[in-house]
């Protein structure tokens, strides 16, 4: 156990209902189990999602009330000078950059570590020149060399970050996400009241994620249309986001309204996973792919695009799931049909151990250099 007087901080812009938030919830749980005090530092808590309530009650939420990113630097500096935590872990842009600059300007002894959860070159390429994320690679290149530690969630993200920032891959610590919690199996076993998941109904293909271009759910919907031409099947996509109306229009255009459901955000997607016939990830790019680990743990066959970066690493290069090319609905449909026909690729329990909260938390504590 670590000293209860030792406090560390996690700094995020806000909570968005995304994979990074779930990673931080699990890390907080792990840190607290080690006896540490934890501050969750947010630029603002206004408009935050339901996920904020899922952080452990022992976590102290610090609202900087910085409604504009331009104001956050002075607020982070003030927090560091007043609280001086042992270490600060920053995730998301431009929280990572602000954390590094604040440390340099205040000269506090706090160890500042930045964590990168996506291939930032891909994020920038997908943005217009007017969007702020277009400039993330430049901002990271200017600030990350000053960080006390740099973490990425996959080898692919590490290679991308090294190329963008000029950092050596040797100076980047790859730590897979802490996806598997002690209560995940309890959530898997929870009842699910939905008519599609009762005996005798057609098999359900499941997709989970934010409804954004990165996830390329249009690819999954087009693949599903091909699968449905061959056998009775249904598609459910859990999540919310800016692409919802566009995807619903595609569903209607392909005359799939009766066989595709998009119920939005759900508190317990694992109950859906374990009852689905196939889990499909159709992303154009990823940082890691938390949902792939969750699906493997839930025991559902997995089909995924072999996108940069994460899926090939998580699925051991196809040993634990079928990998297909990005943006190829015919290949995705063929893989789904293979999985429905019995291509299950069972997962060794030892493979999943590396994604547990216990294993990952210790790796974070090591790079945060928290003394016992």
């Amino acid at each position: 156990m670590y000293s209860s007087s030792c406090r560390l901080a996690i700094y995020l812009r806000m909570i968005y209902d995304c994979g990074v938030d779930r990673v931080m919830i699990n890390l907080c749980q792990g840190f607290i189990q080690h006896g540490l005090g934890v501050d969750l530092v947010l630029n603002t808590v206004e408009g935050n999602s339901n996920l904020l309530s899922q952080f452990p009650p022992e976590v102290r939420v610090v609202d900087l009330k910085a409604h504009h990113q331009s104001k956050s630097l002075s607020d982070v500096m003030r927090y560091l000078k007043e609280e001086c935590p042992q270490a600060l872990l920053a995730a998301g842009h431009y929280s990572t950059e602000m954390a590094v600059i604040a440390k340099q300007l205040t000269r506090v002894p706090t160890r500042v570590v930045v964590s990168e959860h996506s291939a930032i070159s891909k994020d920038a390429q997908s943005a217009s020149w007017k969007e702020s994320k277009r400039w993330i690679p430049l901002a990271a290149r200017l600030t990350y060399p000053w960080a006390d530690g740099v973490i990425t969630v996959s080898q692919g993200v590490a290679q991308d970050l090294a190329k963008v920032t000029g950092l050596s891959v040797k100076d980047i610590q790859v730590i897979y996400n802490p996806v598997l919690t002690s209560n995940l199996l309890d959530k898997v076993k929870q009842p699910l009241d939905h008519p599609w998941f009762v005996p005798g109904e057609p098999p359900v293909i499941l997709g989970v994620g934010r409804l954004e271009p990165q996830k390329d759910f249009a690819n999954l919907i087009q693949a599903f249309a091909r699968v449905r031409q061959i056998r009775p099947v249904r598609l459910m996509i859990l999540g919310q986001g800016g692409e919802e109306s566009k995807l619903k229009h595609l569903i209607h255009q392909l005359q799939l309204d009766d066989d595709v459901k998009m119920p939005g955000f759900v508190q317990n997607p694992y109950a859906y996973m374990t009852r689905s016939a196939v889990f499909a990830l159709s992303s154009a790019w990823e940082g890691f792919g938390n949902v792939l680990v969750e699906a493997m743990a839930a025991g559902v066959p997995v089909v995924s695009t072999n996108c940069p970066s994460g899926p090939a690493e998580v699925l051991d290069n196809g040993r634990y799931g079928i990998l297909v090319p990005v943006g190829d609905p015919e290949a995705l449909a063929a893989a789904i049909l293979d999985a429905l026909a019995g291509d299950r690729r069972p997962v060794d329990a030892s493979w999943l151990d590396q994604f547990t909260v216990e294993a990952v938390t210790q790796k974070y504590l090591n790079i945060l250099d928290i003394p016992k």
Side-chain angles (χ1 to χ4, degrees), residues 322-359:
I322 306 174
L323 293 167
V324 301
V326 173
D328 188 339
E330 290 188 5
L332 183 56
I336 290 171
L337 286 166
D338 286 344
L340 290 170
D343 188 348
R344 298 192 61 85
R345 307 192 184 188
V347 183
D348 293 337
S350 60
W351 179 254
L352 295 176
D353 289 343
Q354 63 188 317
F355 309 119
T356 63
V357 171
E358 293 79 9

Side-chain angles (χ1 to χ4, degrees), residues 288-334:
F288 177 74
N290 292 346
V291 289
L292 295 177
V293 177
E294 293 167 343
M296 287 192 295
V300 58
V302 172
V303 172
S304 173
T305 51
N306 190 14
C307 65
S309 308
E313 294 178 50
V314 171
L315 298 175
D316 196 16
N317 295 306
R319 181 179 180 185
Y320 299 124
I322 306 174
L323 293 167
V324 301
V326 173
D328 188 339
E330 290 188 5
L332 183 56

